[in-house]
Amino acid sequence: MSLISNLRAAAAVLVLSTAPALAQDKILNVSYDIARELFEALNPVFAADWKAKTGRDVTIDQSHAGSSAQARAVLEGLPADVVTFNQETDIDTLVQGGLVPENWRELFPNGASPYYSLPAFLVRKDNPKGIKDWNDLTREDVKVVFPNPRTSGNGRYTYLAAYAYALDANGGNQEEAQEFITKLFANVPVFDTGGRAATQTFAEREIGDVLITFEAETAGIAAQYADKEFVRVTPSVSLFAAFPVAVVAANAEKNGSTEVSNAYLSWLYTPEAQKILAQNHYRVTDASVAAEFKESLPEVKLVTVNEAFGGWAKIREEHLSEGGILETLFNN
Amino acid sequence: MISAEEQIAASRHLATKSGQGVQRFLIGLAVVLTAVMIVAPLAYIFRRAFADGVGPYWAAITTPDTLHAIWLTVIVTIVVVPVNVAFGIAVAWVVARFRFPGRGLLMTLVEIPFSISPIIAGICYLLLYGRRGILGPFLQEHNITILFALPGIILVTMFVTAPFVAREVLPLMLAKGSEQEEAAVTLGAKGWQVFRYVTLPGIRWALLYGAVLCSARAVGEFGGVSVVSGRTRGQTNTLPLQVEQLFNDLNTGVAAFAAASTLTVIAIIALFAKALLQARAPHN
């Protein structure tokens, strides 16, 4: 793009953001921190689709930060029409604030999760340690990197996925599962506070043999550090990580954007959108699109939070509370 | 006890004896630390920003979102600095010229933003103006938007940068005393004439100096603004927030560093302005 056209675009943005929108639909999508490029790819396609169907233009504004911080901001008045988060608990927060109906999981297919992911592995070039599954991670010669499960949602998913794997492998024996987690924690040389820092520890400081993070991110990291030729490894079993969406009913009503907000989230389930999501390495619910991307997103046995742990409320109570299982195992 | 003179003499003796060695060591230490802690990281920002050449750098700076972030940051600074200049003069004037109960308290209060972490300031505004905050229901009823929009960003930035001008002007006003102003009054000058022709010329360098510091801080403010901005790109993302966001994206290439380099350039300009003012100010 030339300088002039850039400046012109910027001027247009400035005018648009200061002038009131006339005869135009407008929604604010409040989202998690690393979804910027994903929605940058999705939004123009939806806008074209909406224009074709209704003849109206739509502007989609984006706000990105940590999912929980965003929930807090919406609760305090950030005028989100829709939220697209990476933690179900963050939408539950909005329910408590009276902004989202309690039955939000039933308002869109697949538990209101148009796409999902799972904790997966990224290993060094040619996988020298031959890491294939969770049980390789407790070997004495393997060093594992993932963020602190006590401070990071990403790390929490890794902890729960490993726990779910151990339960699955041991026929539901809690004691053996906890032993497995203790061994896993012992193999982690450094617990970073967040996913980004853990990525840097693995990729730039070259610590550890395997990085565990959302599968959707392993591909992005591999691409960013292409010269290091990291290899993506999908374990045999992992945890279904929902990426839940909801219309913030109270705000949408006030902004008169209920129709377009619902259309926007419904559109995420169309093959057109699902393909873009799969290209960004998220798992999708559309069977034909999933089949098309089978190679980059291989088959895996997924267990849900409900199946393995009996729901988030129980996880909070048994695992994440003060003196809970996570704290006990983590301090060992 | 050793007297002060003896101490000085002793240190002089030490200085001449092992003087050159120590001096060289200290200079070397200062140079190395400055290079490692300040120059190297800054140089690295520019290296990464220009890693792919000038073209991609320029393209990164001129994306609509980054341009808007620059623009928003400039607007916030343009609003905040004059307000804080007026506030600083007012506070300094009141404290320097009058004796009243609570004067000491006022001086302390003005300094509070320095000792409070900006993120606390942001949270305070959230608790005050938020939807569930004390003023929340009232604001909603009257459709007044403060948080997650320009007013909130400006308010928090104002809070964080409030002490800069007062802090520079006050010591000067205290040191100068009020004789000249009193003389002007006896000669028949009106209030604003006293201010315009007597007070202002006396404090103008300190005032400019405070304004420069205030601007630099307003441009770079992150913690407080991050709480109340809402981070809507192209709308409420200031330049520091934009830098963080670009940095947190994967595969951003030069974008984050390009935006960061803009902030750095602004800071360096402010630094030169400050140095220039310090050199020109008569009392220095």
Side-chain angles (χ1 to χ4, degrees), chain A residues 3 36-37 62-64 76, chain B residues 58 131 230 233 245 249:
Chain A
L3 167 63
R36 194 181 68 97
E37 282 159 277
Q62 286 294 137
S63 165
H64 295 282
E76 291 295 355
Chain B
W58 191 249
R131 199 177 70 93
R233 66 198 174 95
Q245 204 161 84
D249 289 337

Side-chain angles (χ1 to χ4, degrees), chain A residues 124-142:
Chain A
R124 302 211 175 270
K125 186 184 173 186
D126 300 330
N127 197 0
K129 298 268 168 100
I131 295 164
K132 293 265 168 262
D133 209 346
W134 293 100
N135 56 356
D136 292 316
L137 307 185
T138 54
R139 273 168 23 200
E140 266 173 30
D141 63 326
V142 172

Side-chain angles (χ1 to χ4, degrees), chain B:
Chain B
M1 280 261 299
I2 316 166
S3 76
E5 290 93 71
E6 275 172 319
Q7 262 185 339
I8 291 166
S11 56
R12 273 215 190 104
H13 180 65
L14 193 77
T16 44
K17 204 174 176 191
S18 61
Q20 286 205 319
V22 173
Q23 199 180 0
R24 273 194 201 138
F25 172 72
L26 288 176
I27 291 174
L29 193 69
V31 169
V32 169
L33 285 180
T34 310
V36 171
M37 297 197 314
I38 299 171
V39 179
L42 289 182
Y44 184 69
I45 286 179
F46 286 95
R47 218 200 83 184
R48 288 287 295 261
F50 287 101
D52 300 340
V54 178
Y57 173 83
W58 191 249
I61 291 286
T62 51
T63 59
D65 287 344
T66 300
L67 272 187
H68 185 277
I70 295 172
W71 173 240
L72 179 65
T73 303
V74 168
I75 298 247
V76 169
T77 310
I78 287 175
V79 176
V80 164
V81 173
V83 172
N84 273 341
V85 164
F87 170 77
I89 294 174
V91 169
W93 173 283
V94 166
V95 170
R97 297 293 176 258
F98 304 101
R99 296 283 176 276
F100 54 90
R103 180 173 169 270
L105 185 69
L106 180 63
M107 284 168 78
T108 315
L109 281 179
V110 170
E111 298 260 321
I112 273 187
F114 272 156
S115 49
I116 288 183
S117 165
I119 196 155
I120 308 289
I123 291 171
C124 290
Y125 277 85
L126 202 66
L127 296 178
L128 192 61
Y129 296 107
R131 199 177 70 93
R132 301 182 303 170
I134 300 165
L135 298 175
F138 173 83
L139 294 173
Q140 270 189 305
E141 212 170 285
H142 294 82
N143 257 330
I144 304 171
T145 309
I146 292 191
L147 285 193
F148 310 116
L150 187 60
I153 299 173
I154 288 177
L155 279 175
V156 168
T157 310
M158 237 176 235
F159 177 93
V160 172
T161 58
F164 282 100
V165 174
R167 211 178 138 95
E168 293 303 320
V169 173
L170 180 58
L172 198 62
M173 281 185 121
L174 281 173
K176 286 210 168 199
S178 54
E179 289 88 356
Q180 292 182 353
E181 285 159 11
E182 280 160 14
V185 172
T186 34
L187 291 172
K190 293 197 175 67
W192 71 269
Q193 285 176 315
V194 176
F195 178 73
R196 171 72 184 78
Y197 295 107
V198 181
T199 314
L200 197 56
I203 59 167
R204 64 180 167 184
W205 294 111
L207 201 59
L208 273 175
Y209 184 60
V212 167
L213 289 179
C214 182
S215 316
R217 188 72 182 75
V219 168
E221 169 50 24
F222 175 83
V225 168
S226 76
V227 181
V228 300
S229 122
R231 296 163 183 261
T232 309
R233 66 198 174 95
Q235 301 223 343
T236 62
N237 250 9
T238 60
L239 195 48
L241 294 180
Q242 180 77 2
V243 169
E244 194 224 12
Q245 204 161 84
L246 291 173
F247 182 69
N248 279 341
D249 289 337
L250 289 171
N251 302 320
T252 46
V254 298
F257 293 94
S261 74
T262 324
L263 263 182
T264 313
V265 167
I266 295 173
I268 291 173
I269 291 173
L271 216 65
F272 274 106
K274 175 180 158 254
L276 205 69
L277 287 172
Q278 262 175 331
R280 290 196 59 179
H283 64 277
N284 277 344

Side-chain angles (χ1 to χ4, degrees), chain A residues 22-26 47-48 50-51 54-60 260:
Chain A
L22 293 170
Q24 216 210 15
D25 291 309
K26 194 172 148 85
W50 183 248
K51 175 98 178 167
T54 65
R56 296 209 296 268
D57 287 312
V58 59
T59 311
I60 302 147
V260 62

